[in-house]
């Protein structure tokens, strides 16, 4: 199962269209989670996850942790905001620090960094942008993927102006290629 995570608040927007295209092209079971829908709190940096083995917050992330652990691959999409990921995606990534302290998963070489329950899962990242700065958003998500020791299979930065990315054949074709790549990496 491929888990799509979309950090755009616009259901009709470009980021969602791209994540959906990637999942469709992968041609296997998938689920798309819109972070805007799941009541996602901020990481407070309290480190209770280190001592208690879970995040103290009971919110949308509680269910998403399970989905992240259970999935076979992941596609993360963020709109590019100020050359970075959206706040929703940043919160999802920050809250995911607790995954390393749930008591299972591949050990990190550095003990204080906890374990790596997402290790080796194929992961792709994408970002939609009007004009400039998409590299920053992609880099941040790539760092998240690498921190979790996931298998980074590729990225897509989609420059779409203020228009609809669905009308950009080359970009949509890149999204389909990314979907096929992630499917290949799952085998
Ligand atoms: C808060 C905010 C910050 C943005 N920052 C940038 C930016 O740094 N560079 C850019 O070209 N577009 C920027 N944009 C435009 C979005 O990247 C663009 O509209 C993108 O398609 C949004 O994704 P969506 O269609 O999924 O909502 C910004 C938009 C918002 C709302």
């Amino acid at each position: 199962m491929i888990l799509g995570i979309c950090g755009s608040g616009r259901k009709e927007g470009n980021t969602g269209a791209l994540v959906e295209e990637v999942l469709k092209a992968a041609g296997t079971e998938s689920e798309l989670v819109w972070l805007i829908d799941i009541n996602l709190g901020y990481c407070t940096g309290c480190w209770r996850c280190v001592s208690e083995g879970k995040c103290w917050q009971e919110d949308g992330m509680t269910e998403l942790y399970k989905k992240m652990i259970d999935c076979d691959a992941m596609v993360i999409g963020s709109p590019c905001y100020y050359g970075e990921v959206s706040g929703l995606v940043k919160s999802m990534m920050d809250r995911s620090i607790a995954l390393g302290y749930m008591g299972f998963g591949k050990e990190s070489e550095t003990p204080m960094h906890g374990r790596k329950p997402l290790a080796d899962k194929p992961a792709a990242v994408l970002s939609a942008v009007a004009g400039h700065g998409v590299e920053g958003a992609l880099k941040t998500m790539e760092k998240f993927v690498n921190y979790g020791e996931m298998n980074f299979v590729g990225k897509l930065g989609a420059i779409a102006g203020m228009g609809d990315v669905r009308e950009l054949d080359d970009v949509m074709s890149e999204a389909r290629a990314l979907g096929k790549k992630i499917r290949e990496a799952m085998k």
Side-chain angles (χ1 to χ4, degrees), residues 41-158:
Y42 300 110
C43 175
T44 62
C46 65
W47 289 123
R48 272 168 63 176
C49 56
V50 177
S51 54
E52 295 173 15
K54 61 179 183 135
C55 182
W56 62 272
Q57 299 187 62
E58 288 284 339
D59 62 3
M61 201 64 203
T62 313
E63 191 60 30
L64 189 54
Y65 287 133
K66 290 189 201 127
K67 291 181 179 180
M68 292 169 93
I69 290 162
D70 289 345
C71 77
D72 302 303
M74 216 180 281
V75 179
I76 309 170
S78 177
C80 173
Y81 288 172
Y82 299 104
E84 258 300 341
V85 294
S86 65
L88 284 167
V89 169
K90 187 62 167 64
S91 286
M92 179 278 293
M93 295 192 302
D94 292 350
R95 291 287 300 285
S96 297
I97 199 83
L99 285 168
Y101 302 100
M102 290 179 176
F104 61 95
K106 185 179 167 189
E107 296 281 358
S108 161
E109 284 173 18
T110 318
M112 68 167 288
H113 281 177
R115 299 183 187 192
K116 307 287 182 182
L118 307 183
D120 302 325
K121 290 182 198 283
V125 302
L126 65 86
S127 181
V129 68
H132 301 283
V134 77
E135 302 79 18
L138 291 172
K139 193 75 214 163
T140 296
M141 290 184 281
E142 188 175 342
K143 279 188 279 185
F144 173 72
V145 166
N146 289 337
Y147 175 81
E149 293 184 23
M150 287 182 264
N151 171 17
F152 183 76
V153 300
K155 60 186 171 183
L156 169 60

Side-chain angles (χ1 to χ4, degrees), residues 6-17 34 78-84 127-134 158-163 165:
C6 184
S8 171
R10 293 197 319 140
K11 293 273 175 80
E12 76 293 356
N14 291 335
T15 310
W34 289 83
S78 177
C80 173
Y81 288 172
Y82 299 104
E84 258 300 341
S127 181
V129 68
H132 301 283
V134 77
I159 302 172
M162 295 307 275
V165 77

